[in-house]
Amino acid sequence: MPPGRSESESVTTSEFTIPGGLGVSAGGLTDGSTTSEFAVPEGLDVPSPGGESSETTSEFSLPKGLEAPQPPTAEPEGSAFSLPSTYSTKSAPPAFTPPAGIPAVRLTKEVPWQDRMRTMLRMPVAERPALEPVQKTDESGPAVPRVLDLTLRIGELLLAGGEGAEDVEAAMFAVCRSYGLDRCEPNVTFTLLSVSYQPSLVDDPVSASRTVRRRGTDYTRLAAVFRLVDDLSDPDTAISLEEAYRRLAEIRRNRHPYPGWALTGASGLLAGAASVLVGGDLIVFIAAALGAMLGDRLAWLCAGRGLPEFYQFTVAAMPPAAIGVALTAAHVDVEAAAVITGGLFALLPGRALVAGVQDGLTGFYITAAARLLEVMYFFVGIVIGVLLILYFGVKLGAQLNPDAALNPAERPVVQIVASMLLSLTFAVLLQQERSTVIWVTLTGGVAWSVYGALHYPGGISPVASTAVAAGLVGLFGQLLSRYQFASALPYTTAAIGPLLPGSATYFGLLSIAQNNVDKGLVSLAKAASLAMAIAIGVNLGSEISRLFLRVPGGSAAGRRAAKRTRGF
């Protein structure tokens, strides 16, 4: 026992006990001291962020002489979205900025709402401009479920009327923004409409959907819906939800502008004009008109019994073909091919074909595939109906010659008048407003004149001539629709009627009926090429008008196209 210690004192012995005689400074071990193998040695002072010495040591402590950057005093608490203290906008790398900068978007009210909404739909959500003045609503804000329901009902009428998917989405987006729902995303497919709205990043989204089960052609109703959307998009016009619902109900309840007997007569006149367009005379005109009217009545009968449209097209294609075969079997000196071709003109689904190709060119591939599949089914129905009649006609001894090509180039004035009559009757069948019929009639005459001038005197191929004429139709239609703030369909669909490939379709079917399948397929391929030329030409004409022609208060630079993916 060391001297000087009593036996009552507690002696602690351990292999870690400090040997006797080794003094420990005041900064040594004390109760509550923090020790670590990474502790800063004695004598090394580390400045604290506040400028005062800090007693807390850590393995991440900096050596003496190295000062850490001071955070801004105005924002003591850090955030995931706070910029680093070393960030400088002057020295920021331009990796994510386009070389020419981000283009400004002009969304003045003088620009048609279709262009404004289409521009914003093609932009990322983070780059969309601030919300424009909205409609007057209650102090509690817009009723989100009712706004979404109104949006879906408007989109349903547009899609059921044959409008393109991009224009339907633009209209739905315009309705949502007019009531203050700027963070919304509409989505359109062939039979399903949906819209999702998220108030903020931390709120749950609200979604609604609606199924389009019936589609009907009524361009008067389509124009009325476009006027409603235009009024809703106008910041100077305040329309409440109740008023919008009332106007929408009136649009749905309104009767068609033309009665049933007028539609049947229009289908007959359309077939007669088409038969004259391909070289028929007065007898051919009457025969084609009677066949088309009989087919129209049979189709109405099938529709009243609930048969699908496939069978309606099959039944409607039989009477014109039967009349043409009967005239040939009776040895009447008429162009039976012109009679059957005229009857096919009234049945070719040009409207659905143009809408399908337009959806594909604008990036809506699912909707485009569904529309084109619908066109294929309609076309197959027409093929079956005509082939049945031609097959029995050939078996009965009717002398039908697939090599007898029609030559409509000898009477240009008569054909121009016939093309204008065809466009006029087509507009009636589409239930267009009477104010648009005259414009469509003139556009159809111009389209046929351009086609005839390019194909016959110019010697250009039918496909190229058709594409140029259809491009002019699309250009004129887009101009008229933009200055009328309306849809382009009433100005384009009926005007492409004279360009539809009726004769190529008939001769292809006749060759197949006579067991000349190879020649028939070539003729049908030509008909398909002409149809695609029409659809692409109409869409290209519309796009050209947006690229190079200025509209009041707008510019072509404010409209973004779909992003190129280069196959990825």
Side-chain angles (χ1 to χ4, degrees):
M1 177 181 297
R5 291 184 180 272
S6 62
E7 296 181 359
S8 61
E9 294 180 351
S10 174
V11 178
T12 304
T13 60
S14 172
E15 60 270 23
F16 297 103
T17 304
I18 301 176
L22 180 60
V24 181
S25 62
L29 300 174
T30 58
D31 293 340
S33 300
T34 302
T35 61
S36 171
E37 60 271 24
F38 299 103
V40 181
E42 181 181 359
L44 179 61
D45 296 332
V46 180
S48 62
E52 301 177 357
S53 61
S54 175
E55 306 238 350
T56 304
T57 60
S58 169
E59 59 269 26
F60 300 102
S61 301
L62 299 176
K64 183 177 181 181
L66 180 61
E67 297 183 358
Q70 304 298 323
T73 57
E75 189 177 352
E77 297 183 1
S79 172
F81 300 97
S82 300
L83 295 175
S85 58
T86 57
Y87 177 82
S88 176
T89 56
K90 296 181 179 180
S91 60
F96 301 99
T97 303
I102 299 176
V105 181
R106 298 181 60 189
L107 299 175
T108 59
K109 66 179 182 180
E110 289 81 7
V111 180
W113 63 266
Q114 297 97 316
D115 287 347
R116 287 183 285 151
M117 299 303 111
R118 188 182 293 108
T119 299
M120 284 186 284
L121 280 175
R122 293 183 176 185
M123 296 171 59
V125 178
E127 297 181 11
R128 290 176 181 172
L131 183 64
E132 299 173 0
V134 299
Q135 303 288 346
K136 294 182 180 180
T137 57
D138 300 333
E139 296 181 358
S140 59
V144 175
R146 295 192 66 194
V147 173
L148 297 184
D149 179 72
L150 176 67
T151 302
L152 291 174
R153 290 178 183 272
I154 290 177
E156 179 188 11
L157 286 180
L158 293 176
L159 187 63
E163 190 61 75
E166 187 179 30
D167 291 331
V168 175
E169 282 196 1
M172 295 173 63
F173 191 71
V175 175
C176 288
R177 283 183 65 91
S178 65
Y179 288 103
L181 308 185
D182 57 332
R183 300 178 63 89
C184 64
E185 289 295 336
N187 188 23
V188 176
T189 58
F190 185 56
T191 57
L192 181 65
L193 299 169
S194 63
V195 59
S196 178
Y197 168 68
Q198 188 173 11
S200 64
L201 294 176
V202 297
D203 293 329
D204 295 332
V206 180
S207 300
S209 62
R210 195 174 185 88
T211 302
V212 180
R213 302 190 182 276
R214 293 190 60 186
R215 291 183 297 274
T217 303
D218 190 342
Y219 283 179
T220 299
R221 179 179 297 175
L222 191 70
V225 176
F226 262 76
R227 284 193 294 268
L228 174 60
V229 178
D230 182 45
D231 293 339
L232 290 175
S233 304
D234 188 3
D236 298 332
T237 304
I239 300 178
S240 63
L241 280 173
E242 288 74 14
E243 177 65 17
Y245 268 106
R246 185 190 64 80
R247 290 181 57 176
L248 188 63
E250 290 181 355
I251 293 173
R252 298 179 67 94
R253 287 196 303 263
N254 282 347
R255 297 177 60 87
H256 299 304
Y258 307 103
W261 62 266
L263 299 180
T264 301
S267 63
L269 291 176
L270 188 151
S275 64
V276 174
L277 199 64
V278 294
D281 52 11
L282 181 60
I283 299 178
V284 172
F285 180 93
I286 297 174
L290 290 177
M293 288 190 291
L294 181 58
D296 182 76
R297 286 294 90 191
L298 289 177
W300 277 102
L301 180 62
C302 294
R305 296 297 184 269
L307 290 178
E309 286 184 299
F310 176 84
Y311 301 104
Q312 296 177 29
F313 274 81
T314 302
V315 172
M318 290 182 177
I323 291 178
V325 171
L327 291 176
T328 303
H331 303 286
V332 180
D333 189 14
V334 295
E335 289 284 352
V339 175
I340 301 176
T341 301
L344 293 180
F345 262 86
L347 298 176
L348 293 178
R351 172 183 57 86
L353 176 66
V354 172
V357 175
Q358 180 181 358
D359 288 340
L361 294 176
T362 52
F364 293 84
Y365 301 114
I366 296 178
T367 306
R371 288 187 189 270
L372 294 178
L373 184 62
E374 181 188 39
V375 171
M376 187 193 72
Y377 270 100
F378 291 164
F379 190 76
V380 170
I382 297 171
V383 167
I384 292 176
V386 176
L387 274 180
L388 287 175
I389 301 300
L390 293 180
Y391 178 78
F392 286 109
V394 171
K395 292 298 182 181
L396 293 176
Q399 300 298 322
L400 300 173
N401 185 11
D403 296 327
L406 299 175
N407 186 17
E410 299 177 357
R411 302 172 300 170
V413 177
V414 175
Q415 266 93 41
I416 292 176
V417 175
S419 66
M420 296 176 67
L421 178 62
L422 192 152
S423 299
L424 188 149
T425 52
F426 203 174
V428 173
L429 288 176
L430 294 174
Q431 302 281 359
Q432 291 189 197
E433 292 180 309
R434 292 177 174 85
S435 59
T436 64
V437 171
I438 183 63
W439 293 106
V440 170
T441 303
L442 295 176
T443 306
V446 171
W448 178 259
S449 300
V450 172
Y451 168 80
L454 292 176
H455 177 53
Y456 298 108
I460 302 177
S461 66
V463 176
S465 302
T466 301
V468 173
L472 287 178
V473 171
L475 179 63
F476 292 160
Q478 193 62 229
L479 286 176
L480 292 172
S481 67
R482 288 159 76 87
Y483 282 96
Q484 295 292 333
F485 290 82
S487 173
L489 285 180
Y491 299 99
T492 57
T493 305
I496 65 173
L499 304 175
L500 293 176
S503 59
T505 304
Y506 163 70
F507 286 118
L509 298 180
L510 180 58
S511 298
I512 294 175
Q514 294 181 344
N515 293 327
N516 195 349
V517 180
D518 295 338
K519 187 175 181 179
L521 291 179
V522 171
S523 184
L524 291 180
K526 178 183 177 181
S529 301
L530 292 173
M532 293 297 294
I534 292 172
I536 295 176
V538 170
N539 182 264
L540 183 61
S542 301
E543 296 298 325
I544 288 176
S545 68
R546 296 192 182 106
L547 285 175
F548 300 106
L549 299 180
R550 295 177 59 88
V551 296
S555 63
R559 177 182 181 268
R560 290 188 178 183
K563 297 294 184 181
R564 291 181 297 172
T565 59
R566 293 184 175 88
F568 297 101

